[in-house]
Amino acid sequence: MSSPLPPGETLSQPVLNPPASVAVFLVATIDSGGEAVVREALGSLAGLVRSVGFPSPDGGLGCVAGIGSRAWDRLFGGPRPARLHPFRELAGPRHHAPATPGDLFFHIEAARTDLCFALAAELVRRLRGTITVRDETQAFSYFDSRNLLGFVDGTENPVGPAAADAALVGEEDPGFRGGSYALVQKYLHDVDAWEALAVEAQEKVIGRSKLTNLELDAPGSHKDVSTVLGPDGSEQKILRAAMPFGRPGHGEFGTYFVAYARTPDIPETMLSKMFLGGPGSGPDPLLDYSRAVTGSLFFVPPTEFLEALPDS
């Protein structure tokens, strides 16, 4: 496939931004008759982000907006993104990846909690009466990029041009060049069961050392099962935007997982291996301690699409 964007050209929403300190994730469905207000909000989103973030130029406020398959034709006329479809539920003998409602996805991130809160609050205010919020998760960075199971997350993320190649649509779908697919899941962890394991057993599940994050020779581990290889044997990359979240007083500890990808085929193949297993490989052992509770797929349009929305 051709490179999605020439050097220096910026057509995409900020999916390639480095991980932020805090984030708010919103998933919503569009109420009947709410399409016009949602279109207006999407078209003015870039200006809203600039307005909220202007007094704090070092705050790094950004927002990625995605649209689900069932909402696309309600909002826009003309062609659809070639690979956009509803999230595909996976039901294995031991583990389940549910498909949950989602027409809109907003990934708000910044260096400060107040900026994320202010943008989320104003966005929801503008959409009040036209959407139903299905999930709102406030997430945060944890120590040195670790998840709440104590392991470094996102180690294999590509960087630079390789990140753009993995995450952004290219000439294979020229009408949506610079866009991205966002596969979104929320996982809850059984931290009591996890912490009952010895560190060596945890490392065998993950496939990396806990202290140094070095890769281990651990066939059948999470790292092994979640790796997708292409026909030539090379690893197929996605851009992971996983962040921890939790409410200790409610016993809630989790990971909010977003996979930005040029095509949903790669993260979908990864999930199939994880939840259903494959030739010579069982399901992901991490799923014995981490349960998926949501699942949605969205298309993140390029910025110029949002700035000049096609007629509905």
Side-chain angles (χ1 to χ4, degrees), residues 56-161:
S56 306
D58 296 331
L61 180 64
C63 181
V64 171
I67 297 94
S69 177
R70 294 185 177 93
W72 189 272
D73 295 332
R74 295 172 60 189
L75 295 171
F76 315 121
R80 291 165 54 92
R83 303 295 296 159
L84 181 60
H85 55 261
F87 182 90
R88 292 167 177 162
E89 181 177 13
L90 296 171
R94 292 166 52 194
H95 307 297
H96 178 217
T100 51
D103 293 332
L104 299 172
F105 170 63
F106 298 101
H107 174 181
I108 301 168
E109 62 178 7
R112 290 167 29 192
T113 302
D114 59 338
L115 292 175
C116 288
F117 179 87
L119 180 56
E122 179 59 22
L123 189 58
V124 170
R125 187 193 68 79
R126 295 186 179 196
L127 293 170
R128 186 174 297 128
T130 65
I131 65 167
T132 299
V133 176
R134 301 288 181 166
D135 185 69
E136 175 182 353
T137 300
Q138 300 187 32
F140 49 88
S141 62
Y142 187 65
F143 293 115
D144 50 341
S145 300
R146 294 181 183 266
N147 56 35
L148 297 187
L149 301 179
F151 284 77
V152 175
D153 211 347
T155 300
E156 297 296 329
N157 265 351
V159 296

Side-chain angles (χ1 to χ4, degrees), residues 3 136 141 145 158 168 173 177 184 193 196 219 222 236 243 250 252 254 256 261 289 303-304 309:
S3 178
E136 175 182 353
S141 62
S145 300
L168 302 183
D173 194 3
R177 182 172 176 265
V184 177
H222 168 69
Q236 304 296 289
M243 292 188 75
H250 293 77
E252 181 182 83
Y256 203 97
Y289 307 93
T303 53
E304 59 188 18
L309 293 175

Side-chain angles (χ1 to χ4, degrees), residues 27-304:
V27 173
T29 50
I30 303 172
D31 299 340
S32 178
E35 292 82 4
V37 175
V38 169
R39 281 174 52 88
E40 182 179 355
L42 290 172
S44 62
L45 180 60
L48 176 60
V49 174
R50 286 193 295 270
S51 296
V52 174
F54 180 78
S56 306
D58 296 331
L61 180 64
C63 181
V64 171
I67 297 94
S69 177
R70 294 185 177 93
W72 189 272
D73 295 332
R74 295 172 60 189
L75 295 171
F76 315 121
R80 291 165 54 92
R83 303 295 296 159
L84 181 60
H85 55 261
F87 182 90
R88 292 167 177 162
E89 181 177 13
L90 296 171
R94 292 166 52 194
H95 307 297
H96 178 217
T100 51
D103 293 332
L104 299 172
F105 170 63
F106 298 101
H107 174 181
I108 301 168
E109 62 178 7
R112 290 167 29 192
T113 302
D114 59 338
L115 292 175
C116 288
F117 179 87
L119 180 56
E122 179 59 22
L123 189 58
V124 170
R125 187 193 68 79
R126 295 186 179 196
L127 293 170
R128 186 174 297 128
T130 65
I131 65 167
T132 299
V133 176
R134 301 288 181 166
D135 185 69
E136 175 182 353
T137 300
Q138 300 187 32
F140 49 88
S141 62
Y142 187 65
F143 293 115
D144 50 341
S145 300
R146 294 181 183 266
N147 56 35
L148 297 187
L149 301 179
F151 284 77
V152 175
D153 211 347
T155 300
E156 297 296 329
N157 265 351
V159 296
D165 190 62
L168 302 183
V169 173
E171 293 300 333
E172 68 273 13
D173 194 3
F176 297 98
R177 182 172 176 265
S180 184
Y181 292 89
L183 188 149
V184 177
Q185 290 181 296
K186 186 175 183 177
Y187 286 85
L188 294 178
H189 307 316
D190 184 346
V191 294
D192 289 338
W194 179 254
E195 290 174 357
L197 296 177
V199 170
E200 291 80 3
Q202 294 178 357
E203 292 175 335
K204 185 176 180 180
V205 169
I206 298 296
R208 290 186 178 277
S209 64
K210 193 170 187 177
L211 178 62
T212 64
N213 191 41
L214 295 177
E215 185 176 334
L216 303 175
D217 183 15
S221 65
H222 168 69
K223 186 198 179 301
D224 181 43
V225 173
S226 63
T227 297
V228 176
L229 301 179
D232 61 355
S234 63
E235 184 174 347
Q236 304 296 289
K237 294 289 189 177
I238 59 174
L239 194 64
R240 291 171 169 83
M243 292 188 75
F245 68 91
R247 296 183 300 167
H250 293 77
E252 181 182 83
F253 302 85
T255 296
Y256 203 97
F257 175 74
V258 183
Y260 290 114
R262 187 170 182 162
T263 168
D265 295 358
I266 297 173
E268 287 175 340
T269 299
M270 179 189 74
L271 290 188
S272 179
K273 291 180 62 183
M274 290 172 58
F275 284 84
L276 306 181
S281 176
D284 188 342
L286 182 57
L287 296 179
D288 291 334
Y289 307 93
S290 188
R291 175 172 58 93
V293 295
T294 71
S296 304
L297 179 67
F298 304 92
F299 184 72
V300 175
T303 53
E304 59 188 18

